[in-house]
């Protein structure tokens, strides 16, 4: 796990966009894992800007989103499928149909989850996965207690996650769905490179556990300590509880080691 602490949120977005650009330069038909939430927004802005300047292209790439609310109508503005289209996919040059997500409106949910797992593996797996982290340590929607071996499935959201996400639903926690479909921790661990972004004091404890805590299903993100290639990009507030923050800063040589470990 490489921990990178940068003072400016814009620098974080640049570094994450550099990782995507390097991936696409080497593998134009790369498979990208796309996260929703606020954390990756600046990365998507940066990628859209580079794409419009002709510096990179998603034309041959594919994308898979991490998760989806169950039961939100197809035209709901907070449906993750709609959110990722609005925030990113529609702003770059993906081919039509190149980005897929779990179907939160499926009548047969277990079958839809199995089909989603199949489509990821038929695409050759995810080359680069962008991730955020919840304040309770969840990754995608793998809430505390999630199995490290889990695959795409239905989950019940915790009260904390629904409270955190109420800001997207007019601050009405009751408007936030109670269930979601999410890639499992086992699914996410198969992506070849994980780039996780976290900013703000609210994430400090989750980040401390992620990087320095004991590996435990109570803090689902801690499983990433067992992944061979993770880059954790943090602002000073998110890094503020790290015991070894000084060490991470000292060892960072101005750009990440994309090669892993
Ligand atoms: N399902 C998403 C996660 O994929 C995201 O990483 C997390 C943090 O979101 P944010 O980046 O907005 O803090 O919350 C949501 O619940």
């Amino acid at each position: 796990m490489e921990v990178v602490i940068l003072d400016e949120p814009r620098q974080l977005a640049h570094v994450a966009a550099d990782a995507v650009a390097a991936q696409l330069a080497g593998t134009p038909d790369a498979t990208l894992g796309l996260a929703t939430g606020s954390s990756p927004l600046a990365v998507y802005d940066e990628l859209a800007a580079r794409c419009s300047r002709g510096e990179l292209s998603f034309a041959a790439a594919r994308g898979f989103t991490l998760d989806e609310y169950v039961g939100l109508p197809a035209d709901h503005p907070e449906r993750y499928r709609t959110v990722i289209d609005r925030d990113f996919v529609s702003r770059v040059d993906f081919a039509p149909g190149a980005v897929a997500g779990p179907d939160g409106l499926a009548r047969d949910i277990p079958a839809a989850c199995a089909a989603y797992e199949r489509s990821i593996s038929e695409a050759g797996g995810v080359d680069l996965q962008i991730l955020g982290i919840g304040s309770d340590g969840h990754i995608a929607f793998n809430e505390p207690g999630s199995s490290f071996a889990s695959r795409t499935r239905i989950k019940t959201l915790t009260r904390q996650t629904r409270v955190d996400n109420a800001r997207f639903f007019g601050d009405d926690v009751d408007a936030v769905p109670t269930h979601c479909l999410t890639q499992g921790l086992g699914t996410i661990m198969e992506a070849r490179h994980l780039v996780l972004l976290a900013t703000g004091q609210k994430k400090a404890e989750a980040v401390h556990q992620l990087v320095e805590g004991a590996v435990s299903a109570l803090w689902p993100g801690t499983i990433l300590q067992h992944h061979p290639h993770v880059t954790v990009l943090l602002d000073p507030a998110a890094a503020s509880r790290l015991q070894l923050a000084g060490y991470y800063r000292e060892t960072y040589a101005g750009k990440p080691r994309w090669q892993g470990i």
Side-chain angles (χ1 to χ4, degrees):
M1 186 177 271
E2 182 174 24
V3 180
V4 178
I5 304 167
L6 297 169
D7 293 325
E8 294 293 328
R10 265 193 62 242
Q11 293 176 287
L12 299 176
H14 267 262
V15 171
D18 286 347
V20 175
Q23 180 68 58
L24 290 172
T27 329
D29 60 350
T31 299
L32 303 173
L34 306 176
T36 45
S38 320
S39 305
L41 287 179
V43 183
Y44 296 149
D45 287 346
E46 178 61 24
L47 288 170
R50 292 188 194 188
C51 189
S52 72
R53 294 196 297 264
E55 294 168 16
L56 50 76
S57 170
F58 295 85
R62 298 194 57 176
F64 289 94
T65 60
L66 283 171
D67 45 15
E68 182 60 276
Y69 291 112
V70 168
L72 282 188
D75 60 352
H76 195 288
E78 292 309 322
R79 190 173 157 246
Y80 277 173
R81 184 59 235 213
T82 309
V83 169
I84 200 72
D85 280 345
R86 183 174 66 223
D87 289 347
F88 183 46
V89 177
S90 64
R91 303 167 65 198
V92 296
D93 60 346
F94 276 111
V99 176
D103 181 3
L105 290 170
R107 256 190 282 172
D108 183 344
I109 284 184
C113 292
Y116 195 58
E117 285 282 332
R118 255 194 325 275
S119 57
I120 295 172
S121 80
E122 282 166 12
V126 170
D127 292 300
L128 188 153
Q129 174 68 57
I130 295 170
L131 287 172
I133 187 166
S135 62
D136 63 1
H138 72 247
I139 299 282
F141 267 139
N142 292 282
E143 297 284 25
S146 292
S147 163
F148 289 156
S150 51
R151 313 301 305 190
T152 303
R153 69 212 183 289
I154 189 166
K155 283 292 285 182
T156 306
L157 296 173
T158 61
R159 177 83 189 163
Q160 180 64 56
T161 296
R162 294 179 68 228
V163 167
D164 285 350
N165 289 2
R167 66 191 194 279
F168 299 114
F169 292 83
D171 283 323
D172 176 7
V173 69
D174 295 325
V176 183
T178 54
H179 290 80
C180 64
L181 303 185
T182 180
Q183 285 189 32
L185 294 169
T187 319
I188 294 166
M189 284 292 282
E190 286 174 5
R192 288 178 273 278
H193 181 193
L194 306 176
V195 177
L196 184 146
L197 296 112
T199 55
Q201 189 65 37
K202 234 181 91 186
K203 301 292 175 71
E205 178 62 18
V207 165
H208 166 58
Q209 296 291 339
L210 168 80
V211 176
E212 298 174 334
V215 175
S216 160
L218 287 181
W219 291 95
T222 57
I223 188 60
L224 304 194
Q225 293 178 25
H226 285 286
H227 192 285
H229 194 185
V230 185
T231 309
V232 178
L233 300 172
L234 305 171
D235 73 350
S240 60
R241 297 210 52 191
L242 289 177
Q243 202 172 315
L244 302 178
Y247 171 73
Y248 305 134
R249 280 184 182 274
E250 267 167 41
T251 52
Y252 179 60
K255 60 182 190 152
R257 299 171 278 118
W258 298 127
Q259 294 74 27
I261 301 278

